[in-house]
Amino acid sequence: MTWQTLFVYALVLIAVGLFFQGRMRLDMTAAMVIVALAVSGVLTPAEAVSGFGNPLVMLIAGLFVVSEGLSRTGVASWVGRRILAVGGSAETRLILLLMPVIAVMSGIMSSTGVVALFVPVVLTLAREGGLDPTRLLMPLAVAALIGGMLTLIGTPPNLVVNRTLVDAQLGGFEFFDFTLIGGIILVAATLYM
């Protein structure tokens, strides 16, 4: 085993320890790993930052910007108020309204971001409707995951596979190529919930 391999293993362990410790921001820890790899000579400086020039990385970063914009503008809370106004305190109606809305939003932005946006909304819906929050949180999680199956940008793995196909000159996916299958799965999951 070379010193570079041992160095990378040690660096991964240190990074994981810092992630678990939570004292340092995650982005700072990740940046320090990149710098350590470049300074140690394991990677050249160009190799260390080459990922930032990848269009896929920029697209995923852009999705996080869209997610934050929807959060800060109050779109999520407005949607939650509309769902409560229409669904009232009926659990079945709330689930039937909540799941498609969350899945569609998850289809155009990060599913993690959608869940983070809607957890407070769902807790409010449950409290105001006198419902057990767990009865709405599980459909929230399922709908957010299924939302990734609705569009090309719904989840990063879709983008990675698309980029691999394009790089191999095999053509790529269209934006809505996943929608039919994802829609069928969404309907089935909504009915199940």
Side-chain angles (χ1 to χ4, degrees), residues 40-118:
S40 68
V42 172
L43 296 176
T44 66
E47 289 172 332
V49 296
S50 66
F52 294 113
N54 187 323
L56 179 61
V57 172
M58 293 295 103
L59 181 59
I60 293 170
L63 290 174
F64 282 111
V65 170
V66 169
S67 298
E68 187 64 21
L70 289 173
S71 173
R72 290 187 185 220
T73 57
V75 170
S77 62
W78 178 83
V79 169
R81 287 192 308 272
R82 298 300 312 147
I83 290 172
L84 183 61
V86 174
S89 61
E91 179 182 326
T92 303
R93 228 176 333 169
L94 284 173
I95 291 172
L96 287 173
L97 291 168
L98 195 63
M99 286 189 68
V101 167
I102 289 171
V104 167
M105 288 185 79
S106 184
I108 59 171
M109 57 189 271
S110 162
S111 59
T112 305
V114 171
V115 171
L117 284 171
F118 273 93

Side-chain angles (χ1 to χ4, degrees), residues 5-192:
T5 305
L6 292 172
F7 180 78
V8 170
Y9 281 140
L11 195 58
V12 167
L13 289 174
I14 291 168
V16 168
L18 289 171
F19 287 152
F20 277 118
Q21 197 174 39
R23 291 187 185 166
M24 186 179 296
R25 290 182 12 200
L26 298 178
D27 57 338
M28 293 302 296
T29 302
M32 286 176 30
V33 168
I34 292 171
V35 169
L37 288 170
V39 169
S40 68
V42 172
L43 296 176
T44 66
E47 289 172 332
V49 296
S50 66
F52 294 113
N54 187 323
L56 179 61
V57 172
M58 293 295 103
L59 181 59
I60 293 170
L63 290 174
F64 282 111
V65 170
V66 169
S67 298
E68 187 64 21
L70 289 173
S71 173
R72 290 187 185 220
T73 57
V75 170
S77 62
W78 178 83
V79 169
R81 287 192 308 272
R82 298 300 312 147
I83 290 172
L84 183 61
V86 174
S89 61
E91 179 182 326
T92 303
R93 228 176 333 169
L94 284 173
I95 291 172
L96 287 173
L97 291 168
L98 195 63
M99 286 189 68
V101 167
I102 289 171
V104 167
M105 288 185 79
S106 184
I108 59 171
M109 57 189 271
S110 162
S111 59
T112 305
V114 171
V115 171
L117 284 171
F118 273 93
V119 163
V121 172
V122 166
L123 292 176
T124 301
L125 289 172
R127 186 176 54 251
E128 292 183 9
L131 304 169
D132 179 9
T134 59
R135 304 280 298 168
L136 296 178
L137 288 172
M138 185 54 81
L140 162 69
V142 170
L145 289 173
I146 293 172
M149 293 186 231
L150 296 177
T151 64
L152 177 62
I153 64 170
T155 184
N158 293 355
L159 295 168
V160 170
V161 169
N162 182 62
R163 189 75 210 167
T164 303
L165 288 171
V166 169
D167 289 346
Q169 298 176 344
L170 297 172
F173 293 113
E174 297 294 322
F175 191 80
F176 292 110
D177 278 354
F178 302 95
T179 306
L180 177 63
I181 293 171
I184 291 168
I185 294 170
L186 175 62
V187 169
T190 303
L191 293 174
Y192 176 77

